[in-house]
Amino acid sequence: MRAIEFHGDERLELVERPDPAPAAGQLLIAPSAVGICGTDVEIFEGSLAYFRMGIAEYPIVPGHEWTGVVVDVGEGVTGFTPGDRVVGEVAIGCGVCVRCRAGRSHLCARRTETGIVHMDGAMASRMVFPAAYAHVVPFSARQAALVEPTSVALHGVTRGRVAGQHVVVIGSGPIGLLVAQIARAHGAASVTVSDTREDRMTLAASLGFTPFEGRAAEWDDPVATVAGATSDGPDVALLCAGGPGAIAAAFAAVRPGGTVVALGLSGQPELPFDWDGLVVRDIDLIGVLGSVGYWQGAIDLIASGAVKTEPLVTRAFALEDTRDALERLIDPGSLKVLIEP
Ligand SMILES: [Zn+2]
Ligand SMILES: [Zn+2]
């Protein structure tokens, strides 16, 4: 089998490895489509917070947003047969600790994370994966490759309790556009989006979302103070971009007493933050990690057509062109880029 290994500092290798065999409880999978996201870029560069925290280490076979076809099943596996199209979860818990038993394996201290922490991902021609964390999907590979980010988006929107609320989505990249669609499906009173990139606003408009007319100009000012803003804005800001400007914009946008839901890491060791503004304006701040418990809901949203994923896929590359794919992520018009191993 072939696999992409990341070694840090933008070093990447295409390596040959022996074909794996599925152990008891595992599936042998041929990955067919793997999305690249900001986390992969941070792993490629070495800026991911997990390295600073000592949670992750190199080398890593990346690929946590994936779909593939079952090739073989290990002993004791039920519910899967060769030929099934599957997706797989990211956080794989130890299964026995107090958090795992509470269904919160993404907070397990001994967890692995597919393609991120002590577990190979899907940028490879073969992978083994625990059947207990896999789901069969009833749609195409290009739709299935976006189940993971849709699950993350569903987690964030659910935590934001958006039904009947006015919502602004800050950052209309792939996660932002999934979040906006799910907020609409969850009955938000209105959903507006904000992004500094014209091409992304155009795509947002094509999905029926109007631009947020607020204090978006403060995007450019990383230390924009929010304490002085008192006029009512949206009830909930769903923050789907990580830079200091986007974070400041989310806090500036919501009304006093509103909620900011943070769906992504900042990619920075430290950030300026208006702590007093958070307190004085009585803001609820919610951090959202991963997607545990939201996979079937995400699959249902895509299957029903409530969430459209195909418009978000702008390009696909072969496994050997992974470096090219990473470098082309920032191209104008680029949104979700896939590797097809
Ligand atoms: Zn991702
Ligand atoms: Zn555990």
mmCIF file of all heavy atoms in Angstrom, residues 92-101 104-111 133, ligand 2:
data_model
loop_
_atom_site.group_PDB
_atom_site.id
_atom_site.type_symbol
_atom_site.label_atom_id
_atom_site.label_comp_id
_atom_site.label_asym_id
_atom_site.label_seq_id
_atom_site.Cartn_x
_atom_site.Cartn_y
_atom_site.Cartn_z
ATOM 1 N N ILE A 92 -11.329 8.314 18.701
ATOM 2 C CA ILE A 92 -11.502 6.913 19.073
ATOM 3 C C ILE A 92 -11.091 6.789 20.543
ATOM 4 O O ILE A 92 -9.907 6.883 20.870
ATOM 5 C CB ILE A 92 -10.605 5.996 18.205
ATOM 6 C CG1 ILE A 92 -10.743 6.326 16.707
ATOM 7 C CG2 ILE A 92 -10.898 4.530 18.501
ATOM 8 C CD1 ILE A 92 -12.082 6.070 16.098
ATOM 9 N N GLY A 93 -12.061 6.615 21.426
ATOM 10 C CA GLY A 93 -11.783 6.608 22.861
ATOM 11 C C GLY A 93 -11.266 5.265 23.350
ATOM 12 O O GLY A 93 -11.300 4.267 22.632
ATOM 13 N N CYS A 94 -10.793 5.257 24.610
ATOM 14 C CA CYS A 94 -10.298 4.013 25.206
ATOM 15 C C CYS A 94 -11.455 3.065 25.499
ATOM 16 O O CYS A 94 -11.268 1.864 25.629
ATOM 17 C CB CYS A 94 -9.522 4.321 26.487
ATOM 18 S SG CYS A 94 -10.576 4.842 27.866
ATOM 19 N N GLY A 95 -12.658 3.626 25.638
ATOM 20 C CA GLY A 95 -13.846 2.802 25.820
ATOM 21 C C GLY A 95 -14.165 2.447 27.260
ATOM 22 O O GLY A 95 -15.244 1.924 27.538
ATOM 23 N N VAL A 96 -13.244 2.720 28.182
ATOM 24 C CA VAL A 96 -13.494 2.295 29.568
ATOM 25 C C VAL A 96 -13.488 3.440 30.582
ATOM 26 O O VAL A 96 -13.998 3.292 31.686
ATOM 27 C CB VAL A 96 -12.475 1.213 30.019
ATOM 28 C CG1 VAL A 96 -12.670 -0.060 29.213
ATOM 29 C CG2 VAL A 96 -11.042 1.702 29.893
ATOM 30 N N CYS A 97 -12.931 4.607 30.221
ATOM 31 C CA CYS A 97 -12.825 5.686 31.212
ATOM 32 C C CYS A 97 -14.190 6.356 31.417
ATOM 33 O O CYS A 97 -15.147 6.111 30.688
ATOM 34 C CB CYS A 97 -11.768 6.712 30.796
ATOM 35 S SG CYS A 97 -12.291 7.821 29.473
ATOM 36 N N VAL A 98 -14.254 7.238 32.403
ATOM 37 C CA VAL A 98 -15.529 7.856 32.774
ATOM 38 C C VAL A 98 -16.089 8.694 31.625
ATOM 39 O O VAL A 98 -17.297 8.744 31.401
ATOM 40 C CB VAL A 98 -15.365 8.674 34.080
ATOM 41 C CG1 VAL A 98 -14.386 9.832 33.896
ATOM 42 C CG2 VAL A 98 -16.691 9.182 34.584
ATOM 43 N N ARG A 99 -15.203 9.337 30.829
ATOM 44 C CA ARG A 99 -15.703 10.162 29.727
ATOM 45 C C ARG A 99 -16.198 9.294 28.576
ATOM 46 O O ARG A 99 -17.227 9.588 27.974
ATOM 47 C CB ARG A 99 -14.611 11.128 29.256
ATOM 48 C CG ARG A 99 -14.348 12.201 30.303
ATOM 49 C CD ARG A 99 -13.341 13.222 29.869
ATOM 50 N NE ARG A 99 -12.892 13.986 31.027
ATOM 51 C CZ ARG A 99 -11.663 14.428 31.200
ATOM 52 N NH1 ARG A 99 -10.734 14.190 30.295
ATOM 53 N NH2 ARG A 99 -11.347 15.114 32.268
ATOM 54 N N CYS A 100 -15.462 8.230 28.276
ATOM 55 C CA CYS A 100 -15.923 7.329 27.214
ATOM 56 C C CYS A 100 -17.270 6.725 27.584
ATOM 57 O O CYS A 100 -18.173 6.631 26.756
ATOM 58 C CB CYS A 100 -14.901 6.227 26.957
ATOM 59 S SG CYS A 100 -13.463 6.788 26.018
ATOM 60 N N ARG A 101 -17.413 6.324 28.851
ATOM 61 C CA ARG A 101 -18.668 5.692 29.263
ATOM 62 C C ARG A 101 -19.820 6.685 29.232
ATOM 63 O O ARG A 101 -20.978 6.309 29.144
ATOM 64 C CB ARG A 101 -18.509 5.041 30.642
ATOM 65 C CG ARG A 101 -17.786 3.685 30.532
ATOM 66 C CD ARG A 101 -17.691 2.966 31.864
ATOM 67 N NE ARG A 101 -16.622 3.512 32.683
ATOM 68 C CZ ARG A 101 -16.785 4.008 33.904
ATOM 69 N NH1 ARG A 101 -17.969 4.026 34.463
ATOM 70 N NH2 ARG A 101 -15.754 4.476 34.576
ATOM 71 N N ARG A 104 -18.473 10.522 25.588
ATOM 72 C CA ARG A 104 -17.697 11.708 25.240
ATOM 73 C C ARG A 104 -16.246 11.321 24.938
ATOM 74 O O ARG A 104 -15.306 11.827 25.553
ATOM 75 C CB ARG A 104 -17.775 12.737 26.371
ATOM 76 C CG ARG A 104 -19.199 12.938 26.891
ATOM 77 C CD ARG A 104 -19.391 14.283 27.549
ATOM 78 N NE ARG A 104 -19.574 15.313 26.539
ATOM 79 C CZ ARG A 104 -19.321 16.611 26.744
ATOM 80 N NH1 ARG A 104 -18.871 17.020 27.892
ATOM 81 N NH2 ARG A 104 -19.513 17.487 25.776
ATOM 82 N N SER A 105 -16.085 10.409 23.966
ATOM 83 C CA SER A 105 -14.754 9.868 23.679
ATOM 84 C C SER A 105 -13.800 10.934 23.144
ATOM 85 O O SER A 105 -12.585 10.762 23.197
ATOM 86 C CB SER A 105 -14.859 8.707 22.684
ATOM 87 O OG SER A 105 -15.493 9.123 21.499
ATOM 88 N N HIS A 106 -14.342 12.066 22.645
ATOM 89 C CA HIS A 106 -13.450 13.131 22.160
ATOM 90 C C HIS A 106 -12.728 13.823 23.308
ATOM 91 O O HIS A 106 -11.793 14.587 23.078
ATOM 92 C CB HIS A 106 -14.232 14.150 21.328
ATOM 93 C CG HIS A 106 -15.360 14.822 22.050
ATOM 94 N ND1 HIS A 106 -16.365 14.122 22.681
ATOM 95 C CD2 HIS A 106 -15.639 16.127 22.246
ATOM 96 C CE1 HIS A 106 -17.207 14.982 23.222
ATOM 97 N NE2 HIS A 106 -16.792 16.193 22.982
ATOM 98 N N LEU A 107 -13.165 13.578 24.541
ATOM 99 C CA LEU A 107 -12.496 14.171 25.705
ATOM 100 C C LEU A 107 -11.707 13.127 26.492
ATOM 101 O O LEU A 107 -11.163 13.423 27.550
ATOM 102 C CB LEU A 107 -13.531 14.851 26.620
ATOM 103 C CG LEU A 107 -14.338 15.978 25.947
ATOM 104 C CD1 LEU A 107 -15.360 16.559 26.913
ATOM 105 C CD2 LEU A 107 -13.410 17.085 25.441
ATOM 106 N N CYS A 108 -11.639 11.899 25.973
ATOM 107 C CA CYS A 108 -10.880 10.828 26.624
ATOM 108 C C CYS A 108 -9.389 11.175 26.589
ATOM 109 O O CYS A 108 -8.852 11.531 25.545
ATOM 110 C CB CYS A 108 -11.122 9.513 25.880
ATOM 111 S SG CYS A 108 -10.028 8.171 26.390
ATOM 112 N N ALA A 109 -8.726 11.079 27.738
ATOM 113 C CA ALA A 109 -7.300 11.424 27.799
ATOM 114 C C ALA A 109 -6.454 10.424 27.022
ATOM 115 O O ALA A 109 -5.335 10.726 26.625
ATOM 116 C CB ALA A 109 -6.848 11.489 29.257
ATOM 117 N N ARG A 110 -6.981 9.217 26.800
ATOM 118 C CA ARG A 110 -6.208 8.188 26.089
ATOM 119 C C ARG A 110 -6.716 7.972 24.669
ATOM 120 O O ARG A 110 -6.427 6.957 24.047
ATOM 121 C CB ARG A 110 -6.266 6.872 26.875
ATOM 122 C CG ARG A 110 -5.378 6.900 28.114
ATOM 123 C CD ARG A 110 -5.529 5.624 28.924
ATOM 124 N NE ARG A 110 -6.828 5.578 29.586
ATOM 125 C CZ ARG A 110 -7.267 4.550 30.306
ATOM 126 N NH1 ARG A 110 -6.523 3.471 30.429
ATOM 127 N NH2 ARG A 110 -8.440 4.595 30.887
ATOM 128 N N ARG A 111 -7.480 8.944 24.146
ATOM 129 C CA ARG A 111 -8.053 8.773 22.818
ATOM 130 C C ARG A 111 -6.980 8.830 21.735
ATOM 131 O O ARG A 111 -5.918 9.417 21.921
ATOM 132 C CB ARG A 111 -9.078 9.881 22.533
ATOM 133 C CG ARG A 111 -8.430 11.253 22.296
ATOM 134 C CD ARG A 111 -9.466 12.329 22.079
ATOM 135 N NE ARG A 111 -8.886 13.638 21.807
ATOM 136 C CZ ARG A 111 -8.517 14.511 22.734
ATOM 137 N NH1 ARG A 111 -8.646 14.198 24.018
ATOM 138 N NH2 ARG A 111 -8.005 15.677 22.402
ATOM 139 N N TYR A 133 -16.624 2.460 15.109
ATOM 140 C CA TYR A 133 -16.634 3.907 14.848
ATOM 141 C C TYR A 133 -16.909 4.224 13.378
ATOM 142 O O TYR A 133 -16.687 5.348 12.937
ATOM 143 C CB TYR A 133 -15.299 4.527 15.276
ATOM 144 C CG TYR A 133 -15.115 4.572 16.776
ATOM 145 C CD1 TYR A 133 -14.544 3.506 17.462
ATOM 146 C CD2 TYR A 133 -15.531 5.682 17.507
ATOM 147 C CE1 TYR A 133 -14.382 3.540 18.841
ATOM 148 C CE2 TYR A 133 -15.375 5.730 18.881
ATOM 149 C CZ TYR A 133 -14.797 4.653 19.543
ATOM 150 O OH TYR A 133 -14.643 4.698 20.905
HETATM 151 ZN ZN ZN B 2 -11.616 6.870 27.445
#
